[in-house]
């Protein structure tokens, strides 16, 4: 294709799903998909062969769970509203409140679902504050000192999220803090959700440690159902974003290859984190100044001055029309794209196991126009 496109590779997606399903079985836990990282509903028939549930953080995500995934959601939101709450309850099997005030305000309307509270262990090893849910002053969760000794009778679970693309060793240390802070309430609960950020499909992740941690946890608290809700782990390394060079400009000795995609619109995490995405056939370097090889900044096609990243060394001179392929661009990108500046979303396709590319969706003017209605 001559247009930019996200390509999900079915073989790699199924590889991740099989691993996650195997971990869930061996650890005797439930692992569910967090829509905040991946919500391409046309792939849900594949997911349903490996998992049974999903997690939502809004009414739209909860509806997607029920209407497209085919099962009610495990729902958590920092703040529910009067207008949406009754509909959210109808789309949910589990519902977690972020604060005791939200619980007091809404719990009587949620008698048909399993109610939980989000708790804050005041411990996280996430270095980037933007992604640290337990950073000082966080708006997420209830600290142990604010919980009553006896929980209200309709509270059945705790939800605790303190990871971001973390390893099992981090979970091991976090679990110690979680138990120290909250285990005295465990006898009053039926389930505990340890949130997302468990990147079990990454090559260096210690899957056996995770399984052992959960098996030991079950021995200590055999009545508690354990839930994990990673997002990135499902779509990790499952496909690229394919872009094209549309121009090459130079200023003060810095060459920028302008692409038909945008960091601002299509890869916002690259600017928010920030992190340097891997580009196929190129090497990340520290300077955009000329050096050995062919060095370029990569620039987006929006009018935002900061819509670029530095710098990559290629083994050849880039040419207009040439593909530039960003690796691992399915999780947290497809769900965060925007139409700032009227920039169209890249198309979305799935590369099936038989090698055939199916285009799931293309975007155009009407998609931009409808956002302004």
């Amino acid at each position: 294709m001559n247009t930019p496109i996200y390509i999900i590779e079915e073989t790699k997606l199924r590889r991740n799903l099989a691993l996650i399903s195997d971990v869930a079985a061996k650890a005797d836990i439930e692992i569910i998909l967090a829509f905040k990282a991946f919500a391409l509903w046309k792939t849900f028939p594949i997911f349903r062969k490996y998992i049974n549930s999903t997690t939502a953080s809004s009414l739209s995500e909860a509806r997607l769970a029920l209407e497209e995934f085919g099962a009610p959601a495990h729902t958590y939101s920092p703040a529910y509203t009067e207008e949406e709450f009754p509909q959210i309850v109808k789309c949910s099997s589990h519902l977690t409140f972020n604060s005791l005030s939200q619980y007091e305000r809404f719990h009587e309307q949620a008698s048909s679902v399993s109610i939980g509270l989000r708790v804050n262990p005041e411990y996280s090893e996430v270095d980037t504050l933007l992604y640290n849910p337990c950073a000082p002053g966080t708006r997420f969760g209830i600290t142990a000192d604010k919980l009553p000794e006896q929980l209200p009778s309709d509270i059945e679970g705790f939800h605790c999220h303190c990871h971001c693309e973390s390893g099992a060793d981090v979970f091991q240390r976090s679990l110690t803090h979680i138990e120290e802070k909250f285990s005295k309430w465990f006898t009053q609960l039926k389930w505990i959700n340890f949130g997302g950020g468990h990147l079990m499909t990454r090559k260096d992740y210690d899957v056996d440690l995770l399984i052992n941690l959960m098996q030991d946890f079950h021995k200590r608290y055999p009545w508690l159902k354990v839930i994990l809700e990673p997002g990135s782990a499902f779509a990790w390394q499952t496909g690229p974003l394919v872009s094209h060079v549309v121009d090459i400009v130079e200023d003060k000795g810095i060459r920028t290859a302008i692409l038909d995609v945008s960091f601002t619109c299509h890869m916002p995490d690259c600017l928010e984190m920030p992190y340097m995405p891997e580009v196929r056939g190129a090497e990340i370097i520290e300077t955009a100044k000329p050096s050995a090889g062919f060095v370029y900044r990569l620039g987006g096609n929006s009018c935002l001055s900061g819509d670029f990243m530095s710098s990559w060394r290629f083994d050849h001179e880039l040419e207009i029309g040439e593909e530039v392929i960003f690796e691992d661009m399915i999780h947290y990108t497809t769900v965060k794209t925007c139409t700032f500046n009227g920039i169209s979303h890249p198309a979305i396709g799935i590369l099936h196991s038989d090698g055939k590319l199916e285009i799931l969706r293309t975007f155009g003017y009407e998609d931009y126009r409808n956002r302004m209605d």
Side-chain angles (χ1 to χ4, degrees):
M1 292 185 64
N2 293 324
T3 57
I5 182 171
Y6 297 103
I7 300 177
I8 308 155
E9 299 179 49
E10 182 181 354
T11 299
K12 295 179 179 179
L13 178 62
R14 287 185 182 274
R15 174 201 63 198
N16 286 355
L17 287 163
L19 184 149
I20 289 169
S21 177
D22 185 61
V23 170
K26 291 179 178 177
D28 190 22
I29 61 177
E30 183 173 19
I31 304 178
I32 63 180
L33 169 67
F35 283 158
K36 68 177 182 178
F38 183 90
L40 298 180
W41 57 270
K42 288 186 178 180
T43 64
F44 288 173
I46 298 174
F47 277 77
R48 284 306 305 263
K49 297 180 184 298
Y50 300 89
I51 64 171
N52 297 318
S53 299
T54 60
T55 182
S57 295
S58 65
L59 174 57
S60 292
E61 286 188 342
R63 285 189 59 183
L64 194 71
L66 186 63
E67 297 173 13
E68 300 298 341
F69 193 83
H74 293 236
T75 304
Y76 159 79
S77 174
Y80 300 105
T81 64
E82 292 280 1
E83 295 76 18
E84 294 186 347
F85 191 74
Q87 299 175 72
I88 287 176
V89 171
K90 291 179 181 178
C91 297
S92 304
S93 61
H94 296 64
L95 193 146
T96 297
F97 291 104
N98 185 61
S99 67
L100 290 172
S101 58
Q102 282 262 300
Y103 165 80
E104 291 293 342
R105 184 178 176 187
F106 290 112
H107 78 102
E108 291 182 356
Q109 300 179 50
S111 59
S112 62
V113 302
S114 183
I115 294 175
L117 296 176
R118 177 156 176 172
V119 294
N120 175 13
E122 302 175 82
Y123 177 85
S124 175
E125 297 185 21
V126 178
D127 293 327
T128 304
L129 288 183
L130 183 67
Y131 290 93
N132 186 342
C134 301
T138 182
R139 69 189 194 280
F140 297 133
I142 306 161
T143 52
D145 60 300
K146 294 183 173 66
L147 288 173
E149 291 293 322
Q150 182 63 42
L151 297 173
S153 60
D154 59 351
I155 291 176
E156 297 185 343
F158 277 172
H159 180 146
C160 182
H161 176 66
C162 52
H163 300 109
C164 178
E165 297 186 356
S166 303
D169 57 326
V170 177
F171 183 37
Q172 184 176 35
R173 293 188 289 271
S174 300
L175 189 57
T176 299
H177 288 264
I178 294 168
E179 290 189 61
E180 287 177 353
K181 293 280 188 178
F182 299 107
S183 61
K184 68 178 182 179
W185 286 283
F186 285 0
T187 56
Q188 303 177 45
L189 304 177
K190 295 181 179 180
W191 54 266
I192 185 163
N193 184 330
F194 289 119
H198 308 273
L199 195 48
M200 61 192 74
T201 51
R202 188 175 59 197
K203 289 182 180 179
D204 63 348
Y205 189 95
D206 191 342
V207 170
D208 290 334
L209 175 58
L210 173 63
I211 293 170
N212 290 336
L213 286 172
M214 293 295 87
Q215 290 175 341
D216 290 342
F217 187 85
H218 285 312
K219 292 176 183 177
R220 296 192 295 276
Y221 314 103
W223 63 91
L224 279 180
K225 178 180 179 179
V226 175
I227 303 161
L228 302 184
E229 50 175 41
S232 293
F234 284 93
W236 186 257
Q237 296 287 348
T238 56
L241 170 59
V242 179
S243 68
H244 305 84
V245 179
V246 294
D247 199 10
I248 297 172
V249 299
E250 184 171 341
D251 184 62
K252 307 299 183 185
I254 298 173
R255 289 189 296 178
T256 302
I258 301 178
L259 310 175
D260 57 0
V261 297
S262 162
F263 289 100
T264 300
C265 299
H266 308 138
M267 298 173 277
D269 267 8
C270 295
L271 300 180
E272 290 176 359
M273 275 291 278
Y275 75 91
M276 289 288 287
E278 181 182 347
V279 174
R280 189 175 300 178
E283 174 191 3
I284 297 171
I285 62 172
E286 294 183 358
T287 177
K289 293 292 185 179
S291 61
F294 302 92
V295 177
Y296 299 87
R297 290 194 317 192
L298 298 180
N301 58 344
S302 80
C303 291
L304 182 71
S305 298
D307 189 3
F308 71 90
M309 291 194 75
S310 292
S311 290
W312 288 264
R313 179 188 289 117
F314 292 79
D315 60 4
H316 64 282
E317 191 86 35
L318 293 182
E319 297 180 359
I320 292 173
E322 180 175 347
E323 287 185 349
V324 172
I325 300 175
F326 294 91
E327 304 286 11
D328 193 24
M329 279 291 158
I330 302 302
H331 58 94
Y332 276 106
T333 51
T334 53
V335 293
K336 295 181 77 171
T337 56
C338 71
T339 56
F340 166 71
N341 223 175
I343 305 296
S344 289
H345 300 305
I348 299 173
I350 182 168
L351 183 64
H352 291 295
S353 304
D354 61 6
K356 293 181 180 179
L357 178 64
E358 177 188 358
I359 304 302
L360 300 179
R361 179 73 192 275
T362 58
F363 300 88
Y365 168 70
E366 291 300 326
D367 298 289
Y368 170 69
R369 178 182 177 276
N370 291 340
R371 289 173 65 93
M372 302 298 111
D373 283 350

